[in-house]
Amino acid sequence: MNIFQKRAAAEQGGLLSGKDPTEFHPDHAIRLWIIQVGIIICTANLLGLGLRKLRQPKVIAEVLGGIILGPTAMGQIPGFTEHVFPQDSRPYLNLVATIGLCLFLFLVGLEIDAGVIKRNARLSATVALAGMVVPFGLGAGIAVPVYKRFIPEDVEFTHFMLFTGVAYSITAFPVLCRILTELKLLDTTVGIVVLSAGVGNDIIGWVLLALSVALVNAGSGLTALYILLVSIGWTLFILFPVRWAMKWLAKVTGSIESGPSVFFMTGTIVVLFGSSYFTDIIGVHAIFGAFLAGLVVPREGGLAIALTEKLEDMVAIIFLPLYFTLSGLSTDLTLLNDGITWGFTIAIIVTAFIAKFGGCLIAAHYFAGFNWREASTIGSLMSCKGLVELIVLNVGLQANILSQRVFSMFVLEALVLTFMTTPLVTWLYPPQFRVRTSATGANFNNVADGEAGDKRRQQQRSRDGEYKTRFTVVLDKFEHLSGMMALTQLINPSVLVSAWSEEERARHPSSNSIRSFAQNASQVVVEALRVMELSDRVSAVMKSSAAESILRSDPLLSVFRMFGVLNDIKIIPSLAVVKHDELAYSIVEHARNNDSDMIMIPWVPPVHNPHESAAKPADASMAPPTPGAKPPTTNPFDMLFKSGGPNENSDSVIHSQFVRAVFSQATTDVALYVDQSTFDAAANSAQHLFVPFFGGPDDRAALELVMQLCENPRVTATIIRISKRDPDVEGMASKSPEEVNALTIASTIQDYPDTYYGQATTETRLQSDTADNVIWAKYAQLPRRNRKDSLLAAPTDALSSKSSSNSSFESRVEFKEIGSHVPLLTAINEAKAHAERSSQEDHGEEKDGDAVQSGDVEPNSEKYSNGDEIQEAELVRTRSKSSRKSANKQRAKNRGRLIVVTGRSRRLAVEDHRRELRELLDEYGQLGPEVRKALGDVASGFVATGIASGIVVLQAAAGASID
């Protein structure tokens, strides 16, 4: 006998061996599990795409996906359930789903902030109590006929009544938080009370569920008492010693300051599953222990949010869809096959809603003092069931308390109540009736949104010629922060008041401009709006709920706040966490509610390279940068699948659509700052503004803004009015400029409409031309009048102080008028000449003389048409040389980096620049169509050539409404 026999290896099976890879085998359960997970995730996400348009929570798509994959729909196909979801594979799915459910309940515990209850206990306690007692009593009542009709006799009525009461009284706190965030109700009095009541309701609901499970699992009343006592002891152990230990561990590992460390994460996971294990073995469900573990994680330093970000994706993508699919597989709506069953189902839906809605409505109106509309909204929100009731129902089904028919009836009830929450709240509580809380807390005595909006519209200050003092600065990304800092320092130069005052007082002791400048600078307020996208992640909802903590700890806001402190700028931070489609609306609404004079939004152009100037040789520094000098290798299929140009990536397209949405919805002036600064920029805080004035409302707004900015002694400006010399250029006379620019070509994505100004008429055209001439005469003629007044007045005249300050202002602002048949190219050549002079001055090469002319630029010639102007010319002739030399010296001293300020000019534009822009883009590189639509033709030309360090694109308020 040979003891060394060859042992045959077990066959692995699989596709190559001729076996069905989808066949379930306990040794290779992973194969079918992967197929099941793939089907579940795809089904849930496809349904979610459609339901998202209806503003429905993701849980509805997951449960509907499970119902579709279950016996209700796909299960009717012969062999589908046996082949894809066989009964032998269910335990594996159930194990993974239970692990995911424990992780999810841990995240729910992380999401709950006990401080919310403490701060609003007086108002929310009655709502939470009424929202538990009334539904529990009505649920116990409806349990009697349902038990007699559908529940087997071996199930005790007490157990069934407990589960029915808990299912009626529970509120889905996670889904409630997302609905409050999406509807922007978290900072309303209604939202705060609902959030506080939902937290208390959720905690009490889980305690009742734990008691119900303990009673079901106990063999006698004495055993149930023991389970209850042990559960209380374990809860106290978790809430106090374990909480202290977790806080100590977070401090020791530095997790509060630097985010959760690996060791802290390990300890947290051990506490999570250890608590779940203990509550499960004592007769309470494991999810209760996981919920307790989430409550004791420290909230300091945003640690709970950071911990959620590390766990939520796997839970949301795989674990939760698995769990709710299992719920759907157990839901068989075909069992609702007679009138009696449907009658009971409708009765369950109606009574569940009336109990929750009515109880919270009465408590909110009579005890909390809300009006009927607000109380109805509170009742509607508290009636949201969502996934929490589904968890309760699944526990009852696993404990054999609920039959499959009754389980299906309650699942349908949970879906209907969750589905109707968002549309019902939107109808009951529109924005004009919402009452916002004050910045110092919820005093519940503030005016409604609609009243505040009407009052602000009556007091709107954003008018031509008035000093703008309130600005809304949008902060979204770190790469945009430098541009917002540069623009903010331009609008509020208060840091220069003291130094300038000393210098001006030494030269002009009686100057009134110093006092007026200091007074205006001290009035400027900057609303720093930090915008975050509301994604499907739980952490995004937690950030919106913890707005106060985010405002203190957000690094972008911290940097901008310190910038304001160093520059004596009053910064008021605020936070907006909204979906991407609603970002523009939220910004415009925030600006309207805060009575802002201007919205300032940032952008880094898609062709910008900050290393560009540093990489060029010294002798080539004067040449205009050419974006795309080394064009990247392009995919030939991009022409088929991409609408943008070679320099228009997806990020620039998305941001340009966001910018256009702000432009189209804004009811106030909007300034877009395009940052083109380079890393080798000179260390000079002075700014030189270049304004190409073609005409139209946007160019007038740009001119008004520049005249305000030039009150800063470190800001100089060159303002050039460029008119077309030959209006009958071939190929450009078929359409008037206003027809070309009145409406922008529609975007390829319909969700981002462009600014609509209406059709220009002859009357509006003439009014705009008149306004152009008036504002130009107002500012361009000012230097000559000031020279005349200062020369004709006696030295002791009271006008001497005014003239001296105006002469200082004149030395920083230069006005020119130029005619050319290529106005856009002329403007760019002028800007290039100023950039070259600035570079020469930085190297000490500035020479006195006339400005450098290039291209079609014509020298400025002042024409005098009356005796006063001739007399002025005679008076200043002997001093013109010294005055010009002094002005040039002052401009050379203050001239810094070049910033172009131009109008967007999408309405009533005087010139059509499309032909010139095409030539520029052919020479310097292409810009995508979405970028050109967002910036306008003039700004697109400057972006393509890359001459200036920054470009400010102005759009004047068009009087639109966002309501």
Side-chain angles (χ1 to χ4, degrees), residues 396-415:
L397 182 64
Q398 293 173 2
N400 296 320
I401 303 299
L402 304 178
S403 65
Q404 191 173 12
R405 185 191 299 265
V406 175
F407 176 81
S408 301
M409 294 161 63
F410 275 93
V411 167
L412 189 60
E413 171 257 335
L415 285 177

Side-chain angles (χ1 to χ4, degrees), residues 724 726-737 739-740 821-824 910-919 937:
K724 183 173 289 186
D726 183 6
D728 298 325
V729 178
E730 182 182 358
M732 301 178 70
S734 58
K735 289 186 177 182
S736 62
E739 292 176 336
V740 174
H821 70 280
V822 280
L824 179 58
V910 176
E911 309 294 350
D912 176 15
H913 306 291
R914 291 182 301 168
R915 177 178 174 181
E916 297 177 76
L917 182 60
R918 283 196 298 268
E919 296 176 358
D937 291 343

Side-chain angles (χ1 to χ4, degrees), residues 604-615 627 675-679:
V604 176
V607 298
H608 176 55
N609 179 14
H611 300 275
E612 193 171 41
S613 181
D675 188 6
Q676 297 193 130
S677 58
T678 56
F679 289 160

Side-chain angles (χ1 to χ4, degrees), residues 590-848:
H590 181 275
R592 183 193 65 173
N593 292 337
N594 290 278
D595 198 17
S596 292
D597 296 325
M598 179 176 289
I599 301 173
M600 301 193 303
I601 49 180
W603 198 4
V604 176
V607 298
H608 176 55
N609 179 14
H611 300 275
E612 193 171 41
S613 181
K616 289 185 293 186
D619 57 353
S621 60
M622 293 297 104
T626 303
K630 295 181 179 180
T633 304
T634 57
N635 189 336
F637 292 99
D638 287 348
M639 297 294 292
L640 298 176
F641 300 109
K642 291 185 179 180
S643 61
N647 286 322
E648 188 169 27
N649 53 41
S650 58
D651 289 340
S652 66
V653 171
I654 293 174
H655 196 76
S656 66
Q657 291 160 354
F658 157 70
V659 169
R660 294 175 63 197
V662 175
F663 278 137
S664 65
Q665 300 179 37
T667 57
T668 185
D669 295 351
V670 181
L672 171 66
Y673 186 83
V674 183
D675 188 6
Q676 297 193 130
S677 58
T678 56
F679 289 160
D680 66 336
N684 187 358
S685 63
Q687 315 281 352
H688 185 75
L689 307 181
F690 179 85
V691 185
F693 185 85
F694 298 98
D698 297 343
D699 277 7
R700 293 196 297 271
L703 179 56
E704 292 278 6
L705 177 65
V706 167
M707 298 308 293
Q708 175 178 330
L709 299 182
C710 284
E711 293 186 7
N712 186 340
R714 300 303 304 276
V715 174
T716 58
T718 298
I719 304 172
I720 302 179
R721 186 174 189 180
I722 307 174
S723 57
K724 183 173 289 186
R725 181 169 33 185
D726 183 6
D728 298 325
V729 178
E730 182 182 358
M732 301 178 70
S734 58
K735 289 186 177 182
S736 62
E738 57 267 24
E739 292 176 336
V740 174
N741 292 283
L743 295 177
T744 305
I745 301 174
S747 175
T748 55
I749 300 180
Q750 297 180 358
D751 292 340
Y752 297 90
D754 205 349
T755 311
Y756 179 80
Y757 296 105
Q759 185 65 34
T761 62
T762 303
E763 181 181 0
T764 58
R765 177 72 268 164
L766 292 175
Q767 290 176 350
S768 180
D769 291 341
T770 302
D772 292 342
N773 295 328
V774 169
I775 195 172
W776 182 259
K778 174 183 177 182
Y779 293 113
Q781 303 299 326
L782 181 63
R784 287 202 299 270
R785 290 199 301 268
N786 292 334
R787 281 201 305 269
K788 174 184 173 182
D789 293 340
S790 63
L791 291 172
L792 293 178
T796 58
D797 198 310
L799 294 175
S800 60
S801 62
K802 179 179 180 180
S803 62
S804 63
S805 62
N806 285 333
S807 63
S808 175
F809 181 82
E810 173 198 348
S811 66
R812 300 194 307 274
V813 182
E814 178 186 8
F815 289 91
K816 299 175 66 175
E817 293 188 48
I818 298 177
S820 173
H821 70 280
V822 280
L824 179 58
L825 295 177
T826 300
I828 292 175
N829 286 334
E830 281 286 317
K832 176 184 175 183
H834 282 279
E836 291 175 355
R837 286 208 304 271
S838 298
S839 179
Q840 291 172 0
E841 291 163 5
D842 290 338
H843 293 85
E845 298 176 1
E846 177 68 5
K847 297 181 180 180
D848 295 333

Side-chain angles (χ1 to χ4, degrees), residues 398-457:
Q398 293 173 2
N400 296 320
I401 303 299
L402 304 178
S403 65
Q404 191 173 12
R405 185 191 299 265
V406 175
F407 176 81
S408 301
M409 294 161 63
F410 275 93
V411 167
L412 189 60
E413 171 257 335
L415 285 177
V416 171
L417 293 189
T418 305
F419 189 89
M420 64 186 294
T421 300
T422 299
L424 186 59
V425 171
T426 304
W427 176 67
L428 285 173
Y429 203 44
Q432 61 266 27
F433 294 104
R434 295 175 184 175
V435 179
R436 304 284 173 182
T437 59
S438 64
T440 57
N443 58 22
F444 302 99
N445 291 320
N446 297 280
V447 296
D449 274 5
E451 299 172 6
D454 294 339
K455 183 178 179 181
R456 290 185 180 102
R457 277 190 288 269

